[in-house]
Each structure stands twice: as structure tokens, then as C-alpha cells.
Amino acid sequence: MSEATIEVTTLRKRFGQTVALDGLSFTVAPGTVTGFVGPNGAGKSTTMRVILGLDSVQEGTALIDGRPYASLKHPMRHVGSLLDAAALAPSRRGRNHLLWIARSQGLPVSRVDEVTELVGLGSAARRKAGGYSLGMRQRLGIAAAMLGDPPILIMDEPFNGMDPDGIIWMRGFLRGLAAEGRAVLVSSHLLSELPDVADHVVVIGRGRVLADATIEELTAGASSLEDVYLRLTTSAVEYRSGADGKQRR
Amino acid sequence: MSSLLQASHIAGFRATLRAEWTKFRTVRGRMIGLVFAALMVVLFTFLQANGKHTGYCTTPNPSSCVAGHPYVPTGPGGEAVADTYELVAKPLNGDGTITARITSLVGRIWAGPANEAPSLADTRSGLASWAKAGLLITPSSKQGSAYAAVMTTGGHGARFQYDYTHDQAGLPGSVSSSAPRWLRLTRAGDTITGYDSTDGTNWHAVGSARLTGLPATVYVGLFATSPTTSEGSATQATARFDHIAIAPLADDRSQAPLAPSHGATIGTGPHDFYTTLGTGGYRRAGDSIVVTGSGDIAPAVASAGGDTASDSLLFGLAIALIVLIVIGTMFITSEYRRGLIRTTFAATPDRGCVLAAKAVVIGSVAFAVGACASAVAIPLGEHVMNANGNYIFPADPLTVARVIAGSGALVALTAVAVLGIGTILRRSAGAILAGVALFVLPTFTGPGIIGPTSSATAATWLYRVTPAAGFSMLGLLPRSGLVSYPYTMSNGYYPLPAWARLLVLGAYTAVALFAARVVLRRRDA
């Protein structure tokens, strides 16, 4: 795998009066799983959308190997992403969901079958996505992210709605991706989901980086991860209470 | 702009196009909707056509009404024609020439109520602008036959006309005893040439025609006819001819000039569609022959019976349009609803490219549905209406092809426009409502306000400036400059030339798409 990175530099974004991103900077290195943690509304999803060129910022840059995402040809061959597993047309079969994405990236149909196999979706791929459980949707979303065999992966809350078996599978899967040399950015609102997975953690609150360290560095001198997390995010949460920071929807 | 044409852009667009097509076809509801839309066009065309029955009442006796339609002749080009006139002629074998001088052309105009059969009892003096008198060559007295004629007219000077639709202007001005007109018609093989002159010495060729397959023996002679005015009043014209000479040209120069001997009234009768005034005829007055006739030799207009093969298409097409508005809108709004739009734009960050690909997909699909459905529905409607005894205006294959392609384009441009509206509004319900209100309703408020003349202008403007202009692609009644007729909406004639009708609709589509593009670029996905 190439030395692919995500570099986020001083992102600032405002939704009306609400400051969503407030000078956010961090880097995701190849061969690592980077946890992206913060309370709901901290700006995790917004940051990911900015990296993928979906949302604009007033200031700052988010670069993939030094280039903006939007300038990439067949971007999903560079960055695989899973933002919302529920983003599916219910009446479209899982396989066809993968097929249109493959078409958009100029990928062969054989790739669709490979990723279906990879995530263990199997025969369910022939069914309509509307009938999928949340866990199956997550797997389909990961299959879509893996279509372009990308060196970089971005996943927003991939553990959501997964059963214990699924969570175990997902952890192993993400570690395997990093072991292959890929740069993986995984968000979660629960730090506790990450220790077995993430090498590195970026904790954010109110659109700012609160901590950017390895798991070991974070837990040094603290009784538990929860303590660390609470200590880091309390001020952010208190500050936010009353003014709902969740983005417009 | 040139960067748009770079190979990588084209390759990128092709991939996006394939992706959008895959997306489109893998939602089964859409495919069912398309089939449904096409079936609705065919079904409603059948129902509408099947509901049309005509009858007519013969003019001398209004109580004698029969089912079916009056007789409308068909010209050599397959077009509907009026062919009703008074002819005083004799056979001419081989090449030859006919010459005559016209010293007067006068007329009468029916002045009685419009709902009464015209008669000479209540007329005023006056000449219809397309009243015609002159010399004519035809192979047959059968209506709709080929012909060539040189003539003087009520208000259009001297003309050379042939086969109903062709017209060339000669000397301007009207005829009087102080300003007579000399006319001459020669036959040389298949070529007929018309001349005019003010003095019978200096001749000027007005025009010529090749009537292919003209038999050796043709009729040559004097004719007079006078058409209905644009207000709908029947008229009659009387012309005085003298210096009449018919001479075979070829080798036999010794043969003496002959006067026409045989009179015939062509195409008047209770079953002919053309309304005439009085009975035609001719009389000799010394060296002169006076010919009186009523009718026209010209293309038929909607007064022949305004039904066309595409008339019955309207409702079915409107239903198909609504279905396609739903499909076209939801092609993008459903992605916004599910959040799938983010996957789309993550796959193709160039949002204009996505919009263009979606427009091509929905546009092509909608065109195929509109065109295929009308290609089936038009002949079906025509068949059913024929079977019910209706007269259907004949349309040449090119015109029918234009209506079929026009139906496709109407549906396609509308579907692309609502894709734009859907992109801007992001909500299915609002965008569909807006689409129906903008692209379907104007057409159906149209007929409602056509009625009285005062609001006819409003209806005309509706078909000029709203997307209803696209629906007027269905109009295929021919207009002719050779007929004084009110080519209005209430008579079945839409405003604007055919190409401009699509252009008006296309302008709405372009604006919607452009606005969608601007909004897409500025907005977070």
C-alpha cells in the first residue's frame, strides 16, 4: 500500500450561528486505525463530509495525499467511505447498490462479487436492501467502501446497530485493513468501542481537537478510558448544553 | 469550456452515466411506471378516439343529416384539398396552348346568418381575395386531380399555381375592362408553363410545373371559383373571358383555334365538404364566355373537419407526463430523502456531471416512452376514428414523425426540467406538485378559456409562453398562405412554428437545470 494520508488543517465551518468546526487539525497515517471520538454534535460527521468534499468550509483544507478529494479521478479508488449505512434505496437489491457504485468508478462487475464475499453478505446481496437489518446494512456499506480497494477508509460509527458477533467481526476487519497498510479513520461517540481497534485517537468537542494521542498516552495515569473521555469532553458538553449543537437536518 | 471536452472528462462522464443508468433501472417501481405511462397513452388514445363520432347535414336541406363525414378530396401529394370550381374545357391531345383575355372578375358574398345554408337570395357584392379565374390544365375532372393553372385573383394579382400547394406570383393588380389580363398556358410534354400579359403581345412567364405522368389527352379550359372568406361566408365569382384560343402546338399548325365547348361543375354537391354559394355555370355572350363558380382549388384547412390523427393523444400523454414527472423528480429527491445523494457525490464529486448524467438518463428514457407510446397510439387512434366514420386530416409521414418525436421531446424535456426542480427543492411532494402545476396544468386551463373570442388571445399566449407550448407539438393541421382562414386556437391551430414550440418548453428546462446546477455547487450535500 502507498503512504496514503488524510491531512486536515484548521477547518472552520459555521452553520448560521452555530460553530461546527473551530480550527480543527489532525492527520491520519497509513497502516493505522485512527479513532475519531467526541460527543454527539462535536463535529465528527461534519469533518468526514468535509474530507469527502461534500460540505464546504469557510477556512482550512482537508487533503487526500495532498490533493482535495473533489479533484480525484475515481475518488473511491483512493478513499472508501461509509457515512450512513441507512443511505440506501429500499427497493434496490444490495448487489445493484454495489453495481452502480462500481460503474461510477469504472470498476469491473467482478469487484462487486469480491466485496460481497469480503464482508460476508453472501446471498443476501440478491435481496432488496429495504429488508436488511442494520448490521447487514453496515456490511453492505463496508462492501461499497471496499469496492475501489482504497488505501484510505473513512467510516462514521460503523459499530452502530451491530450485534456482538458483528462488532467482533468489524474490529478484526478494521485491524486487518490497517495491517495491510491502509489509513483508516473510524468515528465513534463511545471511546470504549475503540481500544481494541484504534492505534491512535483524535478526541474532539465543539469542533476543536481536545486530544490527539495513542491509546497508551491517553490512558496513562487514568483509572479508565471513560474517565479520560469524560475529563476531556465535559467542558465541551457543558458549554454546549442548551444550544443543541446537532447539525441542521 | 474546452476543458469539458477533454478525454478524461468524457471518460468520467461515461462512468457516471453508466452508474446513473444502473441506478435508474435497478428500482423496479420506475420500470413499472414507465410501462404504465406508455400503456396509459395507448389506452386513453383509444378511449378518446372511440368516443368520437361525427355526422353532418347536407346543405340544401338541413334536416337530412347522416353519420360519417362529408367528402374531402385528397390531392396528388396525399394532402387534403378543396377542389370545387366551374370548368369550361375541351380535350387537348398532345402538346398545345390555350390563351384567353379576362376583362372582368366580380363576385357576390353571402350576407345571411352563419347558421343558414348560403344562397344567392341574400348576398352583397364583393370579391374574395382568393377568388380565382383563369386557365387550367388537368388530366381529369375527378376531385383531387393534378392540375396547373394560371389565373387572376381577387386580391393577389395574377398567379401560376399547380397541385394545390404550389404558387407563383405574376402581374399584380386586379382585373377590369380598362386593365384586362391576358393569360396563356402551354403544355410541352409533362411541363406546363403559365404566362401573363397586359396586351396579348408582350408575354411574361409566371411559372412552370412538371406534372409527371400526365396523359396524352388532357382537359384545357377556363375556370372560375371563389372561396369562403376568413369570416366564413361563402362567395361566388364571375369572370368574363374573350380572345379564347386553344391550339395544338406540335406539327399540325393548320388546325384552326377551337373554342371550349364543354362545361362542368367540379366538386359541388351535398356530400362535398366545401360550402359554395349558388350554382356555377357558363354562358356565351358574343365572342365572350362568362364563367361563374364557387369553391376553391387549394389546400384544405380545418373547416374540412378538424380531427387529426394526434388529437386523441392529448389526455393519455398528459397522464404519461404526470407519471414521468413523478419518476423524474424522485430520481433525485429519493436520494436526498435517503441520504444516498452523499454516496453519489462521494463517487462523483463533480456535481454538474452527476446532474448531466441524470438528465441524460431520465431524458432518454422519457423520450423513448413518449415516442414509442405515441408511435403506437397515433395509428391506433387513426384506425378507430376512421372506423367510426370520422374524417381525419391526412398527414404525410414526415409530419407524423414530427409529432411522434415531438411527443417524446415533450415528455423528455419535462422530465429533465422536474429533475432540476427536484434538485432545487429536495422534497418529492413539493417538486412533483410544482412540476404538475407548471408543465401539465397550463395545457388544461387552455381549452377551458378558449371558448369566446375575447379570451382566445389568453389561450394563444398560454401556448406561446408557458410549457403548454410543448403540447402544441401535437398540432399537425396544415396552414396555407393560399387560404384565407382564421388559423386560431379555437379552430385547432396552435400558435408558433413547430420548432419554436419545443424551444419554449426547452427554455423552461434549461432554466430549471441551470438553477439546479448553481444550487448544487453552492450547497452542502
Side-chain angles (χ1 to χ4, degrees):
Chain A
M1 279 291 153
S2 67
E3 297 295 293
T5 58
I6 305 171
E7 285 170 279
V8 170
T9 315
T10 59
L11 294 184
R12 284 183 210 283
K13 183 173 180 65
R14 206 186 286 273
F15 295 114
Q17 294 287 70
T18 318
V19 177
L21 303 177
D22 190 8
L24 198 75
S25 299
F26 65 89
T27 303
V28 181
T32 62
V33 175
T34 300
F36 194 37
V37 190
N40 289 328
K44 301 186 299 291
S45 298
T46 304
T47 305
M48 288 181 160
R49 288 201 301 269
V50 170
I51 295 170
L52 296 173
L54 298 171
D55 283 15
S56 61
V57 280
Q58 275 88 41
E59 211 185 307
T61 55
L63 301 176
I64 307 294
D65 301 338
R67 296 172 60 193
Y69 181 92
S71 72
L72 301 171
K73 193 195 171 199
H74 297 319
M76 286 182 170
R77 296 191 193 184
H78 300 266
V79 183
S81 55
L82 169 56
L83 293 187
D84 178 7
L88 294 165
S91 59
R92 189 178 287 131
R93 293 167 208 281
R95 190 175 184 283
N96 287 330
H97 176 70
L98 299 174
L99 185 62
W100 79 255
I101 297 174
R103 295 275 193 238
S104 73
Q105 306 302 303
L107 295 166
V109 184
S110 59
R111 216 23 224 160
V112 171
D113 301 316
E114 285 169 29
V115 294
T116 311
E117 223 32 58
L118 182 73
V119 300
L121 208 53
S123 62
R126 301 259 168 203
R127 300 215 311 264
K128 287 185 178 178
Y132 283 14
S133 66
L134 192 46
M136 281 158 77
R137 288 177 190 197
Q138 294 282 20
R139 284 174 192 255
L140 182 62
I142 286 163
M146 293 304 295
L147 266 172
D149 193 17
I152 297 173
L153 281 131
I154 295 177
M155 296 184 191
D156 198 4
E157 307 272 3
F159 297 100
N160 263 9
M162 280 207 149
D163 56 20
D165 282 355
I167 290 173
I168 290 164
W169 172 83
M170 180 69 84
R171 283 178 177 159
F173 184 75
L174 293 176
R175 276 197 300 269
L177 293 176
E180 289 165 6
R182 296 178 218 257
V184 184
L185 180 65
V186 179
S187 79
S188 175
H189 60 280
L190 299 171
L191 185 58
S192 55
E193 283 177 342
L194 292 177
D196 298 337
V197 184
D199 310 284
H200 199 96
V201 179
V202 176
V203 183
I204 68 165
R206 277 173 42 224
R208 273 185 227 153
V209 175
L210 304 175
D212 184 346
T214 63
I215 294 278
E216 291 73 28
E217 286 165 359
L218 273 184
T219 50
S223 55
S224 71
L225 270 173
E226 272 68 28
D227 282 351
V228 175
Y229 181 73
L230 284 172
R231 197 182 66 232
L232 282 169
T233 58
T234 302
S235 62
V237 173
E238 275 176 357
Y239 185 85
R240 279 179 46 253
S241 65
D244 187 13
K246 194 72 189 164
Q247 306 87 358
R248 91 256 124 77
R249 266 271 162 130
Chain B
M1 283 307 281
S2 65
S3 68
L4 280 175
L5 297 171
Q6 280 170 15
S8 65
H9 277 90
I10 293 167
F13 181 71
R14 195 175 299 155
T16 312
L17 193 58
R18 292 189 74 189
E20 289 301 331
W21 167 240
T22 307
K23 242 188 227 174
F24 185 88
R25 71 173 172 80
T26 52
V27 171
R28 191 192 284 170
R30 283 186 194 136
M31 305 314 270
I32 294 170
L34 296 181
V35 174
F36 175 77
L39 288 177
M40 285 299 106
V41 175
V42 177
L43 176 71
F44 273 82
T45 303
F46 172 79
L47 291 176
Q48 219 182 332
N50 202 32
K52 278 193 181 165
H53 295 270
T54 36
Y56 69 102
C57 304
T58 52
T59 39
N61 180 3
S63 62
S64 65
C65 295
V66 290
H69 62 82
Y71 177 69
V72 182
T74 303
E79 70 280 11
V81 297
D83 195 15
T84 302
Y85 60 102
E86 188 66 23
L87 178 67
V88 187
K90 68 178 297 167
L92 174 75
N93 191 22
D95 292 348
T97 186
I98 176 170
T99 307
R101 187 177 76 157
I102 301 186
T103 55
S104 89
L105 178 61
V106 293
R108 310 289 308 168
I109 297 175
W110 165 242
N115 57 350
E116 269 181 31
S119 75
L120 288 168
D122 188 358
T123 59
R124 61 186 170 85
S125 129
L127 193 59
S129 66
W130 275 116
K132 299 164 181 173
L135 312 177
L136 183 137
I137 281 185
T138 181
S140 161
S141 59
K142 191 172 169 293
Q143 281 181 284
S145 300
Y147 75 93
V150 65
M151 67 198 75
T152 60
T153 63
H156 299 277
R159 319 291 287 199
F160 175 77
Q161 296 186 345
Y162 67 98
D163 286 359
Y164 307 92
T165 54
H166 303 274
D167 171 56
Q168 278 147 311
L171 289 168
S174 53
V175 173
S176 65
S177 54
S178 58
R181 283 283 178 272
W182 292 77
L183 300 173
R184 174 173 287 171
L185 211 50
T186 61
R187 175 188 182 180
D190 284 354
T191 304
I192 316 290
T193 309
Y195 302 87
D196 62 7
S197 170
T198 51
D199 52 15
T201 311
N202 298 305
W203 291 95
H204 158 251
V206 184
S208 70
R210 270 184 70 80
L211 303 183
T212 45
L214 207 59
T217 301
V218 294
Y219 292 93
V220 295
L222 319 173
F223 82 99
T225 192
S226 188
T228 307
T229 63
S230 64
E231 291 77 29
S233 303
T235 66
Q236 188 188 59
T238 300
R240 177 181 287 264
F241 298 81
D242 59 13
H243 294 281
I244 302 152
I246 300 177
L249 267 189
D251 30 337
D252 192 7
R253 287 260 170 193
S254 60
Q255 201 172 329
L258 299 166
S261 60
H262 178 72
T265 306
I266 314 283
T268 52
H271 296 289
D272 191 85
F273 84 95
Y274 210 92
T275 310
T276 53
L277 179 63
T279 46
Y282 78 102
R283 65 184 167 84
R284 288 171 192 277
D287 289 341
S288 302
I289 294 181
V290 177
V291 185
T292 297
S294 178
D296 205 0
I297 313 175
V301 292
S303 57
D307 284 334
T308 66
S310 57
D311 278 346
S312 314
L313 213 56
L314 183 68
F315 279 98
L317 208 55
I319 290 171
L321 203 62
I322 292 169
V323 173
L324 263 298
I325 285 173
V326 172
I327 294 175
T329 305
M330 291 186 68
F331 194 28
I332 188 121
T333 53
S334 69
E335 290 199 24
Y336 275 108
R337 181 169 166 222
R338 304 280 170 192
L340 195 58
I341 196 76
R342 294 203 176 107
T343 313
T344 299
F345 289 148
T348 311
D350 183 347
R351 298 175 190 180
C353 179
V354 172
L355 188 63
K358 278 187 181 291
V360 169
V361 167
I362 191 70
S364 314
V365 162
F367 182 88
V369 168
C372 292
S374 54
V376 172
I378 287 174
L380 176 74
E382 197 171 358
H383 176 79
V384 170
M385 281 166 73
N386 265 327
N388 285 351
N390 295 269
Y391 177 69
I392 298 173
F393 241 89
D396 63 288
L398 212 67
T399 308
V400 174
R402 189 194 80 203
V403 173
I404 289 172
S407 306
L410 159 70
V411 184
L413 288 171
T414 305
V416 173
V418 297
L419 174 75
I421 295 174
T423 306
I424 296 163
L425 298 182
R426 287 184 279 187
R427 296 272 196 281
S428 304
I432 289 169
L433 275 177
V436 172
L438 189 58
F439 292 96
V440 183
L441 285 190
T443 304
F444 290 91
T445 53
I449 61 171
I450 282 172
T453 354
S454 57
S455 58
T457 326
T460 307
W461 276 104
L462 206 66
Y463 279 86
R464 265 195 199 130
V465 300
T466 74
F471 268 99
S472 61
M473 281 309 290
L474 296 184
L476 50 67
L477 281 172
R479 281 165 206 255
S480 174
L482 306 183
V483 184
S484 298
Y485 188 74
Y487 295 109
T488 58
M489 285 285 316
S490 46
N491 285 333
Y493 291 89
Y494 294 95
L496 298 179
W499 57 268
R501 298 169 181 176
L502 280 184
L503 215 63
V504 171
L505 176 58
Y508 281 86
T509 305
V511 168
L513 217 51
F514 179 76
R517 214 205 130 122
V518 169
V519 166
L520 267 188
R521 199 182 307 163
R522 292 193 178 164
R523 197 164 59 190
D524 284 347

